[in-house]
């Protein structure tokens, strides 16, 4: 797992027993997170995948270069995303999300199986 945020501390807060005192750790500020410029999804498949990710991850928007795991995704949510993609008519294996975790890369792997988005045929 890759940390979502990095906070530099002079020393780790310890309990009386010498263990890490997690309750007294400071909350990360906005500059502690990796930030990418937002680029909107391109095309029908990327847009559909972005909508699925946003719903499953509970985020407002997903950009082309956003990483599933950096947005809070994990293996159980990956399975949920892949199932939702399959229901939308996309053929993708769960391993693909681990190998290519950005929206652009996952969208490229989400080939249509003849039906797309809630059982309707793809356009174009």
């Amino acid at each position: 797992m890759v940390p979502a945020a990095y906070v530099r501390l002079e020393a780790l807060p310890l309990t009386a027993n010498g263990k890490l005192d997690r309750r007294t750790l400071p909350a990360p500020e906005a500059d502690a997170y990796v930030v990418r410029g937002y680029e909107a999804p391109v095309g029908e498949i990327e847009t559909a995948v972005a909508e699925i990710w946003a719903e499953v991850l509970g985020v407002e928007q997903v950009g082309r270069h956003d990483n599933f795991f950096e947005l809070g995704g994990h293996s159980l949510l990956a399975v949920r995303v892949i199932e939702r993609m399959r229901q939308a008519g996309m053929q993708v294996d769960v391993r693909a999300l681990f190998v290519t975790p950005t929206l652009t890369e996952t969208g490229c792997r989400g080939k249509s199986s003849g039906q797309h988005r809630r059982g309707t045929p793809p356009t174009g």
Side-chain angles (χ1 to χ4, degrees):
M1 293 181 59
V2 177
Y6 293 92
V7 177
R8 180 176 212 124
L9 300 173
E10 293 299 320
L12 293 175
L14 303 176
T15 64
N17 323 9
K19 296 181 179 180
L20 177 64
D21 188 353
R22 289 184 170 87
R23 291 177 292 168
T24 61
L25 287 171
E29 295 180 15
D31 64 345
Y33 295 93
V34 174
V35 179
R36 292 184 176 83
Y38 175 75
E39 188 176 338
V42 174
E44 185 178 349
I45 292 177
E46 276 188 20
T47 302
V49 174
E51 290 172 4
I52 292 169
W53 283 22
E55 289 175 24
V56 170
L57 296 171
V59 296
E60 193 171 316
Q61 70 180 8
V62 177
R64 294 191 80 209
H65 304 293
D66 285 342
N67 183 299
F68 178 77
F69 299 102
E70 290 174 2
L71 293 174
H74 51 73
S75 60
L76 296 175
L77 290 177
V79 171
R80 190 179 293 169
V81 162
I82 296 302
E83 181 56 30
R84 295 275 308 275
M85 289 176 70
R86 288 180 182 155
Q87 290 172 357
M90 292 177 249
Q91 297 175 350
V92 65
D93 187 286
V94 73
R95 291 173 288 188
L97 193 53
F98 290 93
V99 174
T100 56
T102 65
L103 179 68
T104 302
E105 295 168 327
T106 303
C108 287
R109 290 177 178 262
K111 298 174 186 151
S112 178
S113 66
Q115 57 176 171
H116 188 68
R117 300 189 71 191
R118 296 174 185 85
T120 60
T123 58

